[in-house]
Amino acid sequence: MKRLPATRFGRIPVTDVQPVVDGGRFPAKAVAGQDVPVSATCFREGHDSVGATAVLYRPDGTAAQRVRMTPGAPGTDRWHATLRPDDVGTWTFEIEGWDDPYGTWHHAAGIKIGAGLEEELMLAEGARLFAAAARDRKTAAADAEVFRGVARVLEDTGRSVAERFAAAEAPELTALLAERPIRRHVTRGGAYPLLVERRLAGQGAWYEFFPRSEGAVLEEEYDDGTRRYASGTFATAQRRLDAVAQMGFDVVYLPPIHPIGRTHRKGPNNTLTAGEDDPGSPWAIGAAEGGHDAIHPDLGTVEDFAAFVDRARELGLEVALDLALQASPDHPWVTEHPQWFTTRADGSIAYAENPPKKYQDIFPLNFDNDPKGLREEVLRIVLLWIERGVRIFRVDNPHTKPLWFWEWLIREVSQRHPDAVFLAEAFTRPAMMHALGKAGFQQSYTYFTWRNTREELEEYLTEVSHRTAPYFRPNFWVNTPDILPEFLQYGGPAAFKLRAVIAATGSPLWGVYTGYELCENAARPGSGEYVDNEKYEYKPRDFAAAEAEGRSIAPYLTRLNEIRRAHPALGDLASLHLHTATDEATLVFSKSRPAPRGLLDAADTEPADTVVVVVNLDPHAARESTVTLDLAALDLTPADLDDDGRFEVRDLLTGQTWRWGEHNYVRLDPYQEPAHILHIVRSTA
């Protein structure tokens, strides 16, 4: 007789567990100390009550946190909780569904006793329930004593029915049962992986600058308007690190620092012919001086780079380096490993194209001819720069390389250096961007740069904070050397401020390309790119003069980073919640980080933190609106509210305070302040 397969449903069905990526094929991602929302569908036959518990396990398999889940919208059978891993490694979590005998009894007893029906029977059933729970070997001694006391009162016929039933609803009992419920028929929904990485993998502020521009000196200006500069060096660029650190950034990102090819070198504004003094694009990597393992001689030596990294570390900064897997026609690879490129029918090597754009100074790599040799060379290069003090890599155009390669490379590097971080610069189709996250990239560039209207921003914030958050960590860059959005070209300083507010508060990761603080907005006519682009020429800036003359928003960026560090709610991605406003140009969202629950080896002492962000998206005019808050999303307690149901908010940008409630009048003038960043002031009683 053929044996039937085991049933797929347990006694209490647990289904649709989240966050789970492709059925557990890839791990969901988290950051140490970050809140991880988990959910599942849990139900049972009939009408008896059920409950659910989320359990978080450390990499060694021991339980770190047990949290009783709360039900979602009525009728959905959906349950929710928040977990908080506190260290790096591959953790797991699972959802337990269980029969809730107290909930079943309390519901029935409340109805019947309220109607004067079967009062003694219902009280006797309750007494039996608590007596059995007290005898359970899994019940803690202190809890068992509480249960026995409740059972005695329920059995005491010398008391009134109301007094006896009230003992089963006492606040101390319900608080105990909320944390340690009486559970039967516990059914586990299966363990799922949770990759927990260090903070800078998922939280941090990035600042990009070109070392060759920092300290560059104008040596001569010719009659035709061209100029000859002496390049900045790591030593001169090192002086910029103090300002970057003072603005509160965590990562200083450098474009490629390698030798630059001469063949087909690009001139100013990407012209096809470079002058003798034009430095060329740093992304055209490779020359007689070396390739990806070498340093451009104008910038200094390996020892100079080490000094730069050391100074950054002293200031609390980490250095991120560009990993651009491509070569100039002069790269040593071209002659030593021609099989790593694509040869055309005429015998020439194919250069990079993205029609109508052409990059004659760059040869793309071909991973199909010699995959083993090429992947081992790239691994060698990455490990070399790690030895030189780099732990973070911004990867140029990863979507033009095969996914298997990235999965292999990041795994190989992470096994040796678990603190390595890879940022994917992939402005491409969503499927590829998301797949790169699953393949191992810790974070990614996003479409945020082009999302401007409230409708666009709300849709995108919802996508990245909820639908893709388990595997796609968005880094919100306000600009890049390639991208000067039209919004910034014509919006003035208010546009730069409001975009920075959304980026810095909307995502735990955000980035700024130098010059943003100076509100640089000159574009090449008819394009979304900078004119006199720094990719092709030196661009020294006088930051001190700009700040002294009031032309810099560096103090504003500094304040945003101060707010980020002071408010852990802004470090979480998935807690973002949209609220409504009557004005179409007013964007409102909040982030809430509840006080921790269910930790097994630490005191639950961290207070809750909630921030509400209101932004006027119109940089040209004041906007008035009625903002309606979803109070359930703000993690408020009765102690936080006054008699009118209002609570205190403090604007972290201006220091002003107000009493807010569900409906609130807002007026934001972009010429004064385009945004509110409001902290809910909680009761300390």
Side-chain angles (χ1 to χ4, degrees), residues 631-683:
L631 299 183
L634 302 182
D635 200 36
L636 296 167
T637 67
D640 299 324
L641 305 175
D642 61 21
D643 293 340
D644 295 324
R646 302 182 74 79
F647 49 91
E648 183 178 348
V649 295
R650 178 175 179 269
D651 193 327
L652 300 172
L653 291 170
T654 66
Q656 294 175 282
T657 60
W658 298 279
R659 304 296 296 182
W660 271 36
E662 183 178 3
H663 305 288
N664 311 278
Y665 169 77
V666 170
R667 183 181 189 276
L668 288 169
D669 185 339
Y671 295 99
Q672 297 177 0
E673 178 53 68
H676 291 314
I677 303 179
L678 304 174
H679 175 232
I680 293 180
V681 180
R682 298 183 180 276
S683 170

Side-chain angles (χ1 to χ4, degrees), residues 192-205:
Y192 293 96
L194 185 67
L195 177 61
V196 183
E197 298 171 298
R198 68 179 179 122
R199 186 185 74 84
L200 283 182
Q203 299 172 352

Side-chain angles (χ1 to χ4, degrees), residues 505-508 569-570 572-573 575-576 590-593 609-611:
T505 60
S507 173
L570 297 177
D572 289 336
L573 176 64
S575 70
L576 188 145
S590 67
K591 286 189 171 183
S592 244
R593 182 176 171 89
D609 181 42
T610 301
V611 174

Side-chain angles (χ1 to χ4, degrees), residues 333 340 365-368 370-379 405:
W333 287 345
W340 292 352
L365 297 175
N366 186 325
F367 282 79
D368 293 329
D370 179 19
K372 185 176 187 300
L374 186 50
R375 78 181 190 186
E376 293 294 340
E377 172 67 355
V378 175
L379 177 61
F405 164 73

Side-chain angles (χ1 to χ4, degrees), residues 622-635:
R623 292 283 187 156
E624 299 181 36
S625 182
T626 297
V627 169
T628 299
L629 298 177
D630 178 358
L631 299 183
L634 302 182
D635 200 36

Side-chain angles (χ1 to χ4, degrees), residues 6 8 38 97 187 221 260 369 490 586 601 605 616 626:
R8 295 178 176 85
V38 297
T187 305
E221 186 167 3
I260 299 171
N369 297 334
Y490 303 106
T586 301
D601 59 357
T605 57
N616 175 3
T626 297

Side-chain angles (χ1 to χ4, degrees), residues 498-657:
L498 72 89
R499 292 295 294 179
V501 168
I502 302 170
T505 60
S507 173
L509 292 157
W510 79 300
V512 170
Y513 158 56
T514 190
Y516 190 88
E517 64 267 54
L518 306 183
C519 301
E520 293 179 351
N521 67 340
R524 186 166 53 81
S527 78
E529 301 178 2
Y530 287 91
V531 71
D532 301 329
N533 195 302
E534 192 171 4
K535 287 176 61 176
Y536 308 105
E537 58 186 87
Y538 301 104
K539 199 163 190 175
R541 299 172 174 89
D542 192 340
F543 294 99
E547 191 160 345
E549 297 166 9
R551 294 185 290 106
S552 172
I553 63 169
Y556 199 82
L557 304 186
T558 302
R559 182 57 188 148
L560 291 178
N561 283 329
E562 289 173 348
I563 292 169
R564 283 167 53 89
R565 290 188 174 183
H567 290 276
L570 297 177
D572 289 336
L573 176 64
S575 70
L576 188 145
H577 188 91
L578 294 171
H579 303 266
T580 62
T582 53
D583 175 59
E584 64 181 7
T586 301
L587 173 70
V588 190
F589 61 87
S590 67
K591 286 189 171 183
S592 244
R593 182 176 171 89
R597 294 175 47 225
L599 299 178
L600 302 182
D601 59 357
D604 298 349
T605 57
E606 181 184 318
D609 181 42
T610 301
V611 174
V612 179
V613 181
V614 186
V615 185
N616 175 3
L617 301 176
D618 183 350
H620 304 290
R623 292 283 187 156
E624 299 181 36
S625 182
T626 297
V627 169
T628 299
L629 298 177
D630 178 358
L631 299 183
L634 302 182
D635 200 36
L636 296 167
T637 67
D640 299 324
L641 305 175
D642 61 21
D643 293 340
D644 295 324
R646 302 182 74 79
F647 49 91
E648 183 178 348
V649 295
R650 178 175 179 269
D651 193 327
L652 300 172
L653 291 170
T654 66
Q656 294 175 282
T657 60

